[in-house]
Amino acid sequence: MDASRFRDLDVSPRILLGPGPSMVSPRVFRAMATPLIGHLDPDFIALMKEIQELLRYVFQTNNHLTIPISGTGSAGMEASLANFIEPGDDVLIAVNGYFGERLCDMASRYGANVDRIERAWGEVFEVDEIGKALGRKRYRLLAMVHAETSTGALQPHVKEIAEATHRHGALLVLDTVTSLGGVPVKIDEWGVDVAYSGTQKALSCPPGLSPITVSERAREVLRKRKTKVANWYLDLSLVEKYWGDERTYHHTAPITMNYALREALRIVAEEGLEKRFERHRSNAEMLWAGLEELGIPPMVPLEYRLPTLTTPKLPEGLDEAKVRRMLLNEYNIEIAGGFGPLKGKVWRIGLMGFSSRKENVLLLLSALKEVL
Ligand code: PLP
């Protein structure tokens, strides 16, 4: 093996304004350079407790079972379904974008009978239509996406949806991957039973952990299962023994990622949730105004437009991939294209966490003006 063929890692620093990962504070990178300690070291256990406390703050919950799952957002999604579905259960999934589809695929792999309620990509659901759909059968759970990264739509009325879900005896599972830390996510006030997220979006930490929070109602469902959770790695009844008082070995926690998450959450707490939401909102508004001026207005109506991810509507005939390549090669700016039914029709511009800065908005808008 000629090792000299493999040169030093040399990656251009990019301005990450896509759907994730977002940019990461140098403080988080410094935390990641902290020496490793054992995953059962008392110092690491103290740090785990702090991470849980900080996660409860961002999820706005007192849920005891609030932990980072080892794995990206999809691991949190998988844990949120695998633990609460038993083979043959009826589940209802609200689909208005790509990640709703992924929820259906995952739920069916755990033996659920999946019923869908659908809206076109870019739309959101009314409380009444969800309520009607819940009345069709005795569902084990309703799963839906709070912030659809494929469309830029933010589902409103989660509290009312949670109330309807509970009236029908089901659990509400909510995907908060693109909302947590960027827009309000009020787990206890809304009555959400299970919510999961990812570290790499508005929390501004590298990808690798998936925060999850589980209500007492959902924990009761987990305790009453008749069958074993079909996924050993994500079985919360086992994982919680490591994160709970017993601290027994389950898997080796990714120490460095937990250092990173703790620092990223500390930054969130220092800024304060309200100020952070306000920053995301005002930078997004500045972007929206600039996009209007460029003649590529956001696709999603203002009423339920997501501040963390914007989808400008592109004119027909625009070689959008070429524009994105030019942004990357000439300005080091990453944005993403649409996919599924929105392929070629929109871009996906993320302003999340550390990326959500006035100077990034100005740079992107002036680069777009030049390139277009
Ligand atoms: N859910 C939503 C809404 C997402 O945007 C993503 C990722 O973009 C995921 C789930 C899956 O997360 P990951 O790619 O980190 O596994």
Side-chain angles (χ1 to χ4, degrees):
M1 160 69 71
D2 174 14
S4 65
R5 280 198 297 120
F6 303 96
R7 280 182 281 158
D8 283 353
L9 197 59
D10 181 19
V11 177
S12 292
R14 304 282 198 206
I15 295 161
L16 298 174
L17 302 181
S22 61
M23 294 170 86
V24 169
S25 159
R27 274 178 57 179
V28 173
F29 289 130
R30 279 201 297 276
M32 293 178 82
T34 305
L36 281 189
I37 55 177
H39 65 111
L40 293 170
D41 186 308
D43 285 357
F44 189 68
I45 285 171
L47 197 139
M48 289 162 70
K49 278 199 182 129
E50 291 180 349
I51 292 173
Q52 287 184 283
E53 193 180 336
L54 288 160
L55 280 180
R56 288 187 192 107
Y57 169 69
V58 289
F59 273 123
Q60 303 191 50
T61 184
N62 290 317
N63 284 341
H64 184 73
L65 183 48
T66 302
I67 58 172
I69 296 278
S70 305
T72 64
S74 306
M77 186 188 266
E78 191 125 12
S80 301
L81 297 173
N83 283 277
F84 306 100
I85 291 175
E86 296 197 63
D89 279 351
D90 289 307
V91 309
L92 180 64
I93 302 200
V95 182
N96 57 348
Y98 172 80
F99 291 99
E101 292 287 350
R102 185 177 291 185
L103 280 165
C104 295
D105 184 5
M106 274 190 192
S108 68
R109 289 168 191 241
Y110 289 100
N113 303 316
V114 176
D115 284 349
R116 303 157 63 103
I117 168 168
E118 293 192 54
R119 277 279 190 160
W121 283 40
E123 294 181 5
V124 291
F125 294 90
E126 301 286 347
V127 179
D128 282 355
E129 66 185 314
I130 296 268
K132 259 192 214 129
L134 282 163
R136 281 189 274 180
K137 284 183 190 163
R138 174 84 187 177
Y139 288 110
R140 168 64 63 102
L141 60 86
L142 161 68
M144 70 191 314
V145 179
H146 185 215
E148 243 307 342
T149 326
S150 58
T151 68
L154 178 67
Q155 176 61 49
H157 313 306
V158 178
K159 186 170 196 266
E160 290 75 11
I161 291 171
E163 281 164 7
T165 309
H166 295 154
R167 267 199 308 281
H168 288 93
L171 296 174
L172 177 62
V173 172
L174 193 68
D175 178 316
T176 64
V177 172
T178 296
S179 50
L180 191 71
V183 298
V185 172
K186 303 181 178 182
I187 296 304
D188 287 3
E189 191 185 317
W190 293 347
V192 175
D193 295 294
V194 183
Y196 60 89
S197 190
T199 45
Q200 77 275 26
K201 309 231 179 198
L203 297 179
S204 264
C205 179
L209 291 175
S210 175
I212 188 172
T213 186
V214 181
S215 71
E216 278 312 310
R217 187 197 309 252
R219 289 182 79 185
E220 195 54 33
V221 169
L222 184 56
R223 280 191 281 268
K224 286 189 176 149
R225 284 183 68 103
K226 295 190 188 73
T227 57
K228 272 188 177 178
V229 174
N231 185 317
W232 181 88
Y233 191 67
L234 299 173
D235 182 340
L236 287 172
S237 59
L238 304 177
V239 176
E240 76 171 335
K241 291 198 175 113
Y242 174 54
W243 282 90
D245 294 333
E246 293 181 40
R247 303 289 175 190
T248 46
Y249 167 70
H250 174 257
H251 66 276
T252 310
I255 309 293
T256 305
M257 279 311 304
N258 278 283
Y259 292 157
L261 178 59
R262 178 179 174 279
E263 192 60 16
L265 292 172
R266 227 159 61 95
I267 293 171
V268 176
E270 283 166 16
E271 183 174 15
L273 284 179
E274 287 312 317
K275 268 181 113 175
R276 194 173 176 89
F277 300 150
E278 209 179 280
R279 170 169 61 86
H280 279 81
R281 178 95 209 162
S282 66
N283 289 332
E285 281 172 354
M286 189 173 159
L287 173 70
W288 299 340
L291 293 172
E292 298 265 1
E293 269 180 33
L294 287 171
I296 46 172
M299 173 191 87
V300 176
L302 192 55
E303 218 188 315
Y304 49 88
R305 191 182 297 160
L306 183 57
T308 45
L309 189 115
T310 298
T311 43
K313 218 171 7 182
L314 304 178
E316 265 182 49
L318 176 74
D319 187 348
E320 66 81 23
K322 186 173 172 196
V323 176
R324 283 190 288 116
R325 263 196 316 275
M326 287 172 78
L327 285 178
L328 194 68
N329 296 335
E330 293 172 25
Y331 298 85
N332 261 325
I333 300 174
E334 177 185 274
I335 65 167
F339 60 109
L342 297 179
K343 188 173 168 53
K345 295 189 173 152
V346 299
W347 282 324
R348 292 183 303 141
I349 303 175
L351 289 178
M352 305 186 203
F354 199 67
S355 295
S356 170
R357 308 166 84 86
K358 224 179 200 167
E359 65 262 33
N360 287 346
V361 177
L362 289 173
L363 183 66
L364 173 65
L365 289 173
S366 48
L368 274 176
K369 202 167 165 187
E370 286 289 311
V371 172
L372 285 171

